[in-house]
Amino acid sequence: MRARLSDIAQQAEVSEATVSRVLNDRPGVAPETRQAVLTALDVLGYERPARLRKRSAGLVGLVVPELDNPIFPAFAQTIESTLAQSGFTPVLCTQTPGGVTEDEYVEMLLDRQVSGIVFVSGLHADTAANHDRYRALIGRPLPIVMINGFAPGIAAPFVSCDDREATELAVAHLVALGHRRIGLITGPDRFVPVQRRVAGYKAAMRRLVELDEAELEPLAELSLFGVEDGEAAAARLLDRGVTGIVCGSDLMALGAIRAARQRGLSVPADLSVVGYDDSPLMAFTDPPLTTMRQPVVAMSVAAVRALVDEINGHGAPHSEYLFRPELVVRGSTAVAPADAARPGPVPTPQRPAPPALAVPA
């Protein structure tokens, strides 16, 4: 036992006496020191004494659309950690194309008698979806919280990044660099965050570049959120002479950079690209991506606190909490090419833009 105490003390960087006090659940140990000792136990593979095992306050479902886009694992990790700190055991449900649907996951979670559910970018964000599914959950009653996407008439807390402000800030950044022909690439327009981004883009372009609706129409491309979709949309915008592109996701932005390079263009010398999310590794792309950062930690903590309040019967406000995005300037944006500073007519496409691709609900 003494050798084990020594190992634990060395791992936690505390004295053996402190380890003994923690293992025997005695007072006089700072919370952070106690946590360091417990973490050392876990790292070294020792089982915690029964008296130190936190009893789960219940299961909480976490439904995310996918894990291919790195922003969703970022949300999942933070939400799961915050739930665990509140004593709840998270149950992660990840959707894949053609796989288990959101409704099927909900049924499985109900079978496991979860205490609540957090939905990230779920069907609540889809204006074409039937939102009675959420009203039915609330009526059980089952506490729920929705992240990114607002649906009126649902008595639940919503947590969102301010998508409209995000695109306005992105456009203002490019205009400050001298860009005038600025395109937008984002997702299908039936989603609330997409509608807000389009509205912010058009408002900023009307205010800062003085383009009217007819001139803006060919500059907005709606597609899916993947790399390939961003690449195809960027190719169409490059045909129309844009020198800057604001994207609805970091993956789309990477696709836009690829489209530019396939034409022999340099990013950012010939084309500036702004992403959205600041998902992990975007600081290490080539070039490092300028992007609008979602405050993932703050949003996740707010969502979990609202859910825990609902579970405990305290009744969190049934409204939308909007979090301010942050412009993170890196290497994918620069001063516009010399000929881009002179405002001119926006080239119109030779054929109508293809219709927005549908995402199965």
Side-chain angles (χ1 to χ4, degrees):
M1 181 63 184
R2 183 158 187 85
R4 292 176 63 185
L5 281 177
S6 176
D7 293 341
I8 297 166
Q10 183 178 5
Q11 178 69 30
E13 298 182 350
V14 298
S15 68
E16 293 181 27
T18 298
V19 173
S20 178
R21 284 197 294 272
V22 171
L23 296 182
N24 290 288
D25 202 20
R26 292 174 183 168
V29 181
E32 57 271 18
T33 304
R34 185 178 298 274
Q35 185 58 50
V37 172
L38 295 177
T39 301
L41 277 174
D42 297 338
V43 169
L44 294 173
Y46 297 142
E47 186 175 350
R48 295 187 184 190
R51 67 174 71 89
L52 299 181
R53 297 173 198 162
K54 183 183 289 186
R55 186 175 180 180
S56 174
L59 302 176
V60 169
L62 171 56
V63 183
V64 298
E66 56 165 307
L67 293 181
D68 290 340
N69 187 331
I71 194 62
F72 294 126
F75 269 112
Q77 181 178 11
T78 307
I79 293 170
E80 288 182 334
S81 174
T82 309
L83 282 169
Q85 291 172 16
S86 300
F88 290 92
T89 302
V91 180
L92 178 62
C93 302
T94 305
Q95 300 175 69
T96 56
V100 181
T101 66
E102 181 179 304
D103 290 336
E104 290 170 336
Y105 271 132
V106 168
E107 287 301 317
M108 290 192 300
L109 292 172
L110 293 177
D111 288 342
R112 286 161 176 76
Q113 298 182 327
V114 295
S115 301
I117 303 177
V118 179
F119 295 92
V120 180
S121 299
L123 293 174
H124 64 277
D126 189 344
T127 59
N130 186 345
H131 294 149
D132 287 342
R133 52 173 50 90
Y134 301 114
R135 298 184 184 95
L137 292 175
I138 295 169
R140 291 182 67 93
L142 181 74
I144 60 175
V145 173
M146 272 78 97
I147 295 178
N148 278 340
F150 177 73
I154 299 178
F158 291 82
V159 175
S160 299
C161 186
D162 193 335
D163 297 289
R164 180 182 177 116
E165 182 177 8
T167 46
E168 289 194 28
L169 289 172
V171 170
H173 169 63
L174 292 177
V175 170
L177 292 172
H179 295 272
R180 293 297 181 268
R181 299 185 183 94
I182 301 169
L184 172 71
I185 300 174
T186 190
D189 63 0
R190 71 173 190 263
F191 295 109
V192 172
V194 171
Q195 294 172 0
R196 292 175 172 178
R197 289 170 197 166
V198 172
Y201 165 77
K202 289 184 176 180
M205 291 293 285
R206 284 193 294 264
R207 184 177 72 253
L208 300 175
V209 189
E210 299 182 351
L211 296 183
D212 58 30
E213 189 68 26
E215 292 172 310
L216 287 172
E217 193 65 31
L219 293 179
E221 283 285 336
L222 304 184
S223 183
L224 297 182
F225 285 103
V227 174
E228 293 79 10
D229 308 289
E231 180 181 355
R236 294 191 290 270
L237 289 178
L238 287 170
D239 288 340
R240 298 165 202 168
V242 301
T243 62
I245 299 179
V246 175
C247 299
S249 75
D250 289 338
L251 295 185
M252 281 182 156
L254 297 180
I257 292 173
R258 190 160 72 180
R261 286 180 171 164
Q262 286 182 346
R263 297 184 177 214
L265 300 177
S266 170
V267 176
D270 302 310
L271 177 72
S272 287
V273 178
V274 181
Y276 187 96
D277 286 333
D278 194 28
S279 45
L281 302 181
M282 290 306 108
F284 306 101
T285 57
D286 180 24
L289 187 66
T290 295
T291 186
M292 299 304 306
R293 174 182 293 162
Q294 286 199 69
V296 171
V297 173
M299 292 170 64
S300 300
V301 169
V304 171
R305 286 178 177 172
L307 185 70
V308 171
D309 284 346
E310 291 275 303
I311 292 172
N312 293 331
H314 300 318
H318 296 160
S319 57
E320 185 179 26
Y321 301 82
L322 279 179
F323 285 76
R324 181 181 174 87
E326 178 187 355
L327 173 65
V328 181
V329 179
R330 298 194 181 104
S332 65
T333 54
V335 174
D339 59 347
R342 299 191 299 272
V346 178
T348 55
Q350 297 300 312
R351 58 183 184 278
L357 299 177
V359 179

